[in-house]
Amino acid sequence: MTQEEVASAYGVNVKTYRRWEKGQSPVPYDDLCAICADIFALDLFNLRGMADAA
């Protein structure tokens, strides 16, 4: 997905989403969890487990 598609699907301004991706602005934890779960169908706890196993 493009940044524009993710921002639109989540309902935030694309400039805000770009700043989050570039690390220029912190992503609120609730937003991060919601984007991972609702947009990408990812569970942060499973991702953490994968990172720990690597």
Side-chain angles (χ1 to χ4, degrees):
M1 293 180 80
T2 66
Q3 291 174 330
E4 290 83 3
E5 291 170 333
V6 175
S8 177
Y10 188 60
V12 295
N13 185 290
V14 70
K15 289 181 182 181
T16 299
Y17 185 77
R18 284 184 179 142
R19 284 193 296 266
W20 289 348
E21 271 202 5
K22 291 180 179 181
Q24 296 171 337
S25 177
V27 183
Y29 183 75
D30 291 342
D31 290 319
L32 177 62
C33 291
I35 289 169
C36 287
D38 299 342
I39 306 300
F40 296 111
L42 297 171
D43 181 350
L44 287 180
F45 295 109
N46 287 339
L47 288 175
R48 183 170 183 232
M50 287 187 272
D52 291 343

